[in-house]
Amino acid sequence: MLLNGDNKVFVALRIDNAAEAWQMPQGGLEEGEDPEAGMLRELEEETGIRPDLVQVIARARRTLFYDLPEDLVGKVWKGKYRGQRQHWFLARFLGTDADVNLETAEPEFRGWRWAEPAELPRIIVPFKRRLYEDVLEEFADHL
């Protein structure tokens, strides 16, 4: 969860989904990779935001998860997974909007914006709603 100076959250639209479903950046860890290092790597790979423009504020006390709806099981991730378990971090964006660049080596997003934390469960795909509610609960003291 990346916050700007106004405590709004970075959200983006996936390039592989035509729906108006927003999400926060996320990604997988490489073998043996530290979760915080992986978060910073994935954030840069997906948004162009360099690690020196990010200050980690907190880490979720527990691993959070979501399951895919039955109609997507077997279609997403080549059928290998049924959902994800995730390490969540709260971080402050120290740069400017000009530091965001979705034109990365392997683009994942087609648009982005800053959103109020409270609106996150309403604007994301329904199967991630509980996950985003859990993220908000984990970081409530900082929002």
Side-chain angles (χ1 to χ4, degrees):
M1 176 180 267
L2 186 65
L3 299 176
N4 69 6
D6 296 323
N7 277 351
K8 291 188 177 179
V9 180
F10 183 96
V11 293
L13 293 167
R14 290 195 59 82
I15 211 165
D16 59 0
N17 188 336
E20 282 290 307
W22 298 86
Q23 73 171 52
M24 291 182 276
Q26 66 179 49
L29 293 175
E30 295 177 358
E31 187 70 33
E33 187 175 33
D34 172 75
E36 184 173 327
M39 176 273 295
L40 292 169
R41 177 187 51 76
E42 284 286 343
L43 184 64
E44 184 172 23
E45 287 177 2
E46 294 179 2
T47 69
I49 297 172
R50 298 184 326 265
D52 64 304
L53 297 176
V54 177
Q55 176 188 23
V56 176
I57 299 169
R59 180 177 177 171
R61 296 173 301 245
R62 59 192 170 106
T63 302
L64 304 176
F65 68 93
Y66 70 87
D67 293 322
L68 290 172
E70 286 302 318
D71 63 319
L72 292 180
V73 173
K75 296 177 184 173
V76 177
W77 304 311
K78 300 176 184 170
K80 191 173 177 182
Y81 305 104
R82 299 185 57 85
Q84 283 191 344
R85 302 218 175 281
Q86 301 177 328
H87 302 274
W88 277 87
F89 294 86
L90 178 66
R92 174 78 58 204
F93 178 48
L94 304 175
T96 68
D97 288 359
D99 293 310
V100 177
N101 178 11
L102 301 183
E103 304 281 329
T104 61
E106 294 181 35
E108 292 192 35
F109 297 124
R110 57 187 168 89
W112 69 276
R113 71 180 178 99
W114 297 105
E116 293 292 340
E119 73 178 303
L120 293 177
R122 182 178 52 78
I123 64 174
I124 54 95
V125 291
F127 68 87
K128 288 186 182 177
R129 187 165 291 132
R130 180 70 211 155
L131 168 68
Y132 276 43
E133 290 167 349
D134 290 344
V135 170
L136 289 170
E137 181 181 308
E138 283 288 321
F139 298 135
D141 292 344
H142 302 280
L143 301 176

